[in-house]
Amino acid sequence: MAKFILYLFICIMMCISTIAFTQNHRLTGIITEGQNSLPYTNLSLTANDTILRFTTDDDGKFDIVVPQKDYQFDVLFFNEVVYHSIIILNKDIDLGNVEITTFANLDEIVIQAHKKIVERKADRFIFYVENTTSSSGGTALDALKNTPGVIVNNQNIGISGKNSVLVLIDDKPTYMNQDELIHYLESISTANLSKIEVITTPPAKYEAEGNSGIINIITKKINQNSWNSTIGAMYQRSRRNEHQYNAGFNLQKNKITLRTSVNFGFKRSLINWNNDIYYKDAFWQNEDYSDAKNNNLNALFALDYQIANNWKIGGKTSVYTIRFSDIQPQITTVFDHENGKIQQFFKNNATSDHKTSQSVYNIYSEYLLDSLGKKMTVDFDFVNYHSPSNRVFSYSTFDADNQLILNSTHAGTNQVDIKIRNFSAKTDFELPLKFAEFNVGARFSQSKSENLIAAFKQNETGEFIYDTDLSNFFEYTENNEALYLSGSKEFSDKWSVHAGLRMEATQTKGYSRENDNLHKNDYIKLFPSVYILHHLTDDKSVGLNYSRRINRPHYESLNPFRIINNEFSYNEGNPFLEPAFTHNIELTFTYKTLDSKIYFSSLKNGVNQASLLDPDTKENNYIWMNYVNSKQAGISESYTVKPVAWWTSINTFDLAYSEANTVISDKKHTGMSSSLYTSNDFVLNSAQTLFVNISYFQNFGETFQNYKLKPYAKFYASIKYLMLDKKLELSVKGADIFNGRESVSQEMNGIKQRFKNIWDTQRISVTLTYRFGNTNIKTNERQTSNTDELNRI
């Protein structure tokens, strides 16, 4: 089947090549009126079979590459043609200053137009950061907090109605976990941001991997011959200390674009894990904590070179390393269910140390066949991931008087070495034609994972000997080939439709050496997507979206290793896991700054780590499995309001109903979930250098599969002060000020289990950031072709 897809791709590329390569020329100039340049002016080039529309930049300039033709060149002001000429484009042409006269004398008539803050398009919701006062002087993270439908809470970024999201910057992945991503977004100034796109049902051009949505942060257009640099430091105090440092330098000079950054720091955290189990004959109270520390470093170097006006090549290298260690003492107190007296104690101790390193390499070529028109891109990527770790554990049993029971102590070590290598290549064509715009592309990816566990157990003499029952070597290989085609069409000013189809073929092979077990899988799946949008008026629109997604198991979950936690508990992977599939449907309605959404999703074969409780043996084991089939329907409301000029309020409310069937229970789990989030920005002076933010998140209770979450609340406040011509920023933030606690429970085989964890989110931080140079620069960071594989590591 892989050969069939390859042949099909070759045929498509041959068809595309007949329209791809034509002679192109460059057209430049600047639009002025009197002594003033006119930014964001609408321009158009019209030929017999071509209509190109574009705008001037911040300085009133335009610079495009288009096919050799005779064009009608028009300048429009509020949809009125105010300048008209014929251009014979048979060579590069610089029009110089194109001076226009608008249809009205602006000294006599002042036109006040409110810039858009939100906009609903066929496949995404857009929040225009650059048009909001609330985000000025802040960071990209602050802009996300202000974005309707986006929830930033407990160091996590999410979308209403979605479990998790992928965050992109200029359509490019960040390759960071949530903690690293938070720090990274706090280093980006909103002065460089244009808009934020919230894509809850991603179109066919994105990999079908993952049932989550996408948040795409778009930066402002780059200016030629400019540079900027940023240095910053942050100190944070929660129950432990943390300090982080970052620096970056960006340059665009003639044909070269350079981007570099480095972030490093030290972090300590203290998290309490409380797990209570209500057996029929006993109550088990488990108290555990993790006292962890880590050193982290991530660095990026990216270089682009403009070979010709329409051809650019580049490469990128990013490196991430972390050294993590922690101690995890645990005590389990067993109470008699009837009289509440203590029966016995189980005491466990574990220490772990691991180092993770990941390197990502990208080489790309981007060929513009015409400006705002045909374009071909090719990417080659390689990822090398290595994570060795060592865990030492012991557990003992004590009687009701806290005396050690003879021969009840057991100890062991687990030495785990995980290596993952991924190579991927993709090519994409953007093909705007007269009757519609098309995108077509292909992708190939191969991932290979080697997982070695060497387990040792302590014998009667205290010597650690090799444990053949727990030691194992597991090798996993996955190939993925994909083709996609999508098209969009605007039938009028009122209607627009976008539809796409993605085909993915996957072949997997997992081999366990000790079990001498080989498991193969080979399947082809189709992933359609459809988006319909109808503009009722200029400020009202209604839309309907549908997409199908796949969620392949994480590499960790496929590992058949068994990691011993204590006498009654272990973690185990499952090499026989199948992918999960999700259908997403959304009905949207947008009125000015109010965005309403009714959504429905259906998940089949959902993968999760199930907590399996045995009432007889009292074992509580965590096994990866195709765990759940579920359905969810909900309503999401987002409203942006400015009661006064210096106060902007962003408010989001979500209400959902879900039902789920799990493999560990015959009971159907149903329930309601609802939450409210409000973020309020206050500008305290006319110079716009002093800002206050007050935010509040209230969860009114949540049902997720067979888990139930009790209501809880979080409160946040921050102060920001800009100095030295707004180049130096001082920020003081308080997070989870009143220390809201979360309590989650589940029930299985008539046994209730409750988790009351303290996540160490109550904290205060002080950040100092200095930016200098040309802060309008934007570097073009390439999207690599292995986004989904990296998210599964």
Side-chain angles (χ1 to χ4, degrees):
M1 183 51 63
K3 291 183 178 180
F4 168 76
I5 293 180
L6 177 61
Y7 295 151
L8 181 60
F9 171 67
I10 292 174
C11 293
I12 294 175
M13 294 301 105
M14 290 176 64
C15 294
I16 292 173
S17 65
T18 62
I19 60 173
F21 296 95
T22 59
Q23 190 172 2
N24 302 295
H25 297 292
R26 192 173 189 175
L27 181 66
T28 58
I30 180 171
I31 306 299
T32 61
E33 183 177 25
Q35 301 297 319
N36 300 319
S37 61
L38 297 181
Y40 312 116
T41 303
N42 294 320
L43 312 175
S44 72
L45 287 173
T46 306
N48 292 334
D49 59 350
T50 304
I51 299 177
L52 300 176
R53 303 185 187 278
F54 51 102
T55 61
T56 59
D57 63 13
D58 295 342
D59 300 320
K61 298 178 181 179
F62 60 92
D63 187 345
I64 63 173
V65 178
V66 294
Q68 176 175 308
K69 291 179 182 178
D70 295 347
Y71 290 99
Q72 174 181 305
F73 176 64
D74 294 322
V75 180
L76 296 90
F77 188 79
F78 285 89
N79 294 323
E80 296 287 336
V81 177
V82 294
Y83 180 88
H84 171 81
S85 68
I86 301 298
I87 297 175
I88 302 175
L89 196 62
N90 55 12
K91 61 179 181 179
D92 291 353
I93 296 178
D94 184 2
L95 297 178
N97 284 347
V98 180
E99 188 168 347
I100 67 171
T101 301
T102 60
F103 64 86
N105 189 325
L106 296 182
D107 290 334
E108 298 175 0
I109 300 177
V110 178
I111 300 175
Q112 293 182 340
H114 296 284
K115 295 182 179 180
K116 288 183 178 180
I117 297 179
V118 296
E119 181 182 9
R120 165 64 67 181
K121 288 196 173 182
D123 61 346
R124 65 197 66 197
F125 177 84
I126 302 174
F127 176 62
Y128 290 93
V129 179
E130 61 183 347
N131 295 340
T132 61
T133 304
S134 61
S135 297
S136 60
T139 68
L141 186 64
D142 299 315
L144 284 178
K145 290 180 179 179
N146 292 328
T147 303
V150 175
I151 297 176
V152 181
N153 185 46
N154 290 340
Q155 295 298 92
N156 287 300
I157 301 171
I159 297 175
S160 298
K162 299 290 181 179
N163 299 330
S164 60
V165 297
L166 174 66
V167 177
L168 308 178
I169 297 180
D170 293 327
D171 264 326
K172 321 302 188 280
T174 54
Y175 307 124
M176 299 178 182
N177 62 35
Q178 285 285 344
D179 286 338
E180 298 156 1
L181 181 60
I182 293 293
H183 294 308
Y184 179 59
L185 294 176
E186 288 178 328
S187 69
I188 301 174
S189 171
T190 52
N192 292 332
L193 301 186
S194 172
K195 57 187 177 182
I196 294 175
E197 299 176 337
V198 182
I199 312 172
T200 51
T201 52
K205 68 171 291 186
Y206 297 99
E207 281 82 3
E209 171 66 33
N211 66 343
S212 60
I214 292 175
I215 297 175
N216 191 18
I217 302 172
I218 306 297
T219 58
K220 291 181 179 178
K221 185 178 179 182
I222 189 171
N223 289 331
Q224 292 184 339
N225 299 319
S226 58
W227 66 275
N228 73 1
S229 188
T230 303
I231 56 174
M234 184 269 291
Y235 170 77
Q236 183 167 272
R237 176 66 187 182
S238 52
R239 300 165 77 186
R240 297 290 189 265
N241 291 323
E242 175 184 355
H243 46 90
Q244 297 285 336
Y245 308 92
N246 65 81
F249 176 77
N250 303 309
L251 170 69
Q252 203 295 313
K253 179 66 173 178
N254 297 328
K255 297 182 178 182
I256 295 177
T257 301
L258 173 68
R259 180 176 182 237
T260 62
S261 66
V262 61
N263 301 269
F264 61 95
F266 175 78
K267 180 180 181 179
R268 290 198 63 186
S269 61
L270 179 61
I271 301 174
N272 289 83
W273 316 88
N274 299 309
N275 177 11
D276 297 337
I277 305 176
Y278 299 83
Y279 293 107
K280 292 182 179 181
D281 57 347
F283 167 60
W284 287 35
Q285 183 183 67
N286 301 301
E287 297 176 289
D288 185 7
Y289 71 86
S290 171
D291 192 349
K293 56 184 178 181
N294 71 68
N295 294 278
N296 58 81
L297 167 69
N298 66 78
L300 170 72
F301 178 86
L303 181 65
D304 299 338
Y305 183 74
Q306 193 84 34
I307 295 178
N309 292 335
N310 57 345
W311 189 14
K312 181 170 61 176
I313 62 173
K316 180 178 70 173
T317 300
S318 61
V319 177
Y320 170 69
T321 63
I322 182 172
R323 182 68 181 267
F324 177 89
S325 63
D326 74 337
I327 57 174
Q328 291 184 338
Q330 181 188 51
I331 181 171
T332 300
T333 306
V334 180
F335 297 90
D336 185 88
H337 186 74
E338 294 183 358
N339 55 36
K341 293 183 178 180
I342 295 177
Q343 294 179 336
Q344 57 184 342
F345 299 93
F346 303 111
K347 296 183 181 181
N348 314 312
N349 284 285
T351 62
S352 64
D353 182 83
H354 75 260
K355 180 179 180 180
T356 298
S357 60
Q358 175 178 284
S359 303
V360 181
Y361 307 94
N362 166 255
I363 298 175
Y364 82 94
S365 171
E366 182 179 281
Y367 190 83
L368 300 178
L369 303 160
D370 53 39
S371 180
L372 301 179
K374 304 180 186 70
K375 181 172 72 171
M376 178 182 71
T377 58
V378 179
D379 285 82
F380 298 96
D381 298 275
F382 178 73
V383 176
N384 188 29
Y385 175 91
H386 187 208
S387 181
S389 64
N390 182 57
R391 181 175 180 270
V392 181
F393 64 91
S394 65
Y395 52 89
S396 306
T397 304
F398 294 77
D399 61 21
D401 296 323
N402 206 17
Q403 298 297 313
L404 178 66
I405 297 177
L406 189 64
N407 298 324
S408 68
T409 298
H410 303 274
T413 66
N414 293 322
Q415 298 173 4
V416 180
D417 193 13
I418 301 175
K419 297 178 181 178
I420 301 173
R421 292 180 297 276
N422 169 264
F423 170 78
S424 59
K426 70 172 184 174
T427 181
D428 299 278
F429 283 85
E430 296 181 16
L431 303 171
L433 303 179
K434 187 175 182 179
F435 59 92
E437 294 186 4
F438 292 95
N439 293 80
V440 62
R443 179 179 182 270
F444 168 79
S445 171
Q446 182 181 73
S447 298
K448 186 173 182 180
S449 173
E450 296 178 352
N451 309 270
L452 175 66
I453 179 171
F456 298 84
K457 58 183 178 182
Q458 193 176 47
N459 60 17
E460 295 79 3
T461 63
E463 180 184 4
F464 284 91
I465 60 174
Y466 191 74
D467 190 340
T468 56
D469 293 331
L470 295 180
S471 300
N472 196 2
F473 175 78
F474 179 70
E475 185 177 63
Y476 177 78
T477 303
E478 178 178 297
N479 294 334
N480 182 270
E481 303 86 28
L483 290 172
Y484 78 88
L485 173 66
S486 64
S488 60
K489 172 71 173 178
E490 293 186 3
F491 292 97
S492 65
D493 293 338
K494 300 292 185 180
W495 288 95
S496 61
V497 176
H498 184 112
L501 181 64
R502 187 178 184 93
M503 178 175 66
E504 293 196 1
T506 304
Q507 309 88 42
T508 68
K509 182 173 66 175
Y511 175 69
S512 175
R513 184 180 64 191
E514 272 64 19
N515 298 332
D516 193 22
N517 179 274
L518 178 64
H519 179 68
K520 294 183 178 181
N521 204 352
D522 191 344
Y523 56 89
I524 298 177
K525 300 295 180 181
L526 297 177
F527 302 94
S529 57
V530 179
Y531 311 88
I532 302 173
L533 183 66
H534 178 51
H535 291 280
L536 302 172
T537 63
D538 289 342
D539 53 16
K540 289 196 290 286
S541 65
V542 61
L544 179 65
N545 305 335
Y546 166 78
S547 70
R548 186 186 188 223
R549 309 288 290 169
I550 187 173
N551 188 13
R552 297 182 179 88
H554 291 268
Y555 298 120
E556 173 194 6
S557 63
L558 294 164
N559 231 325
F561 294 169
R562 177 174 293 185
I563 304 296
I564 302 298
N565 299 318
N566 53 54
E567 182 181 357
F568 297 94
S569 177
Y570 61 81
N571 293 3
E572 187 175 270
N574 182 1
F576 301 102
L577 290 174
E578 299 289 337
F581 296 91
T582 305
H583 296 273
N584 296 300
I585 301 175
E586 293 181 351
L587 177 65
T588 62
F589 175 75
T590 302
Y591 175 64
K592 293 184 178 180
T593 59
L594 173 67
D595 187 69
S596 304
K597 179 174 64 177
I598 300 174
Y599 58 87
F600 172 80
S601 65
S602 175
L603 172 67
K604 185 177 181 180
N605 272 347
V607 178
N608 204 344
Q609 191 177 36
S611 175
L612 304 182
L613 292 168
D614 190 315
D616 298 323
T617 65
K618 304 298 190 294
E619 287 190 356
N620 181 19
N621 301 317
Y622 300 88
I623 312 295
W624 287 96
M625 58 178 61
N626 289 106
Y627 177 71
V628 63
N629 294 327
S630 66
K631 297 178 181 179
Q632 184 181 46
I635 299 174
S636 178
E637 298 285 344
S638 297
Y639 182 53
T640 304
V641 62
K642 288 179 67 68
V644 291
W646 44 268
W647 176 16
T648 301
S649 181
I650 310 291
N651 306 276
T652 302
F653 175 74
D654 190 75
L655 175 65
Y657 169 81
S658 66
E659 58 181 41
N661 294 307
T662 64
V663 298
I664 62 175
S665 173
D666 295 331
K667 178 182 177 181
K668 178 181 287 188
H669 304 275
T670 62
M672 301 293 296
S673 305
S674 60
S675 63
L676 172 69
Y677 180 71
T678 178
S679 177
N680 299 271
D681 274 327
F682 302 92
V683 183
L684 300 187
N685 60 353
S686 59
Q688 294 193 356
T689 58
L690 184 60
F691 306 85
V692 170
N693 175 271
I694 298 176
S695 300
Y696 176 74
F697 176 80
Q698 175 67 60
N699 188 303
F700 298 101
E702 182 176 339
T703 298
F704 175 69
Q705 297 173 8
N706 63 322
Y707 292 91
K708 290 188 178 295
L709 176 66
K710 282 190 173 182
Y712 70 94
K714 303 283 186 179
F715 185 78
Y716 308 84
S718 65
I719 300 175
K720 295 181 183 179
Y721 183 52
L722 305 179
M723 301 166 282
L724 300 180
D725 197 25
K726 299 185 179 181
K727 294 180 180 180
L728 181 63
E729 177 183 305
L730 174 65
S731 173
V732 180
K733 298 181 181 181
D736 193 11
I737 294 175
F738 299 114
N739 200 18
R741 302 289 180 90
E742 301 176 31
S743 177
V744 182
S745 63
Q746 73 158 350
E747 186 172 326
M748 192 197 76
N749 296 330
I751 305 171
K752 185 178 179 180
Q753 187 175 13
R754 184 180 300 277
F755 306 89
K756 296 178 292 183
N757 302 324
I758 303 175
W759 295 97
D760 201 12
T761 56
Q762 185 182 35
R763 59 188 62 173
I764 186 170
S765 64
V766 180
T767 304
L768 194 63
T769 304
Y770 182 64
R771 303 177 179 90
F772 54 98
N774 185 342
T775 56
N776 290 324
I777 191 171
K778 170 205 158 195
T779 55
N780 295 323
E781 183 181 346
R782 291 295 306 153
Q783 179 181 14
T784 62
S785 57
N786 44 30
T787 308
D788 51 335
E789 284 80 13
L790 286 169
N791 290 331
R792 294 164 63 199
I793 292 177

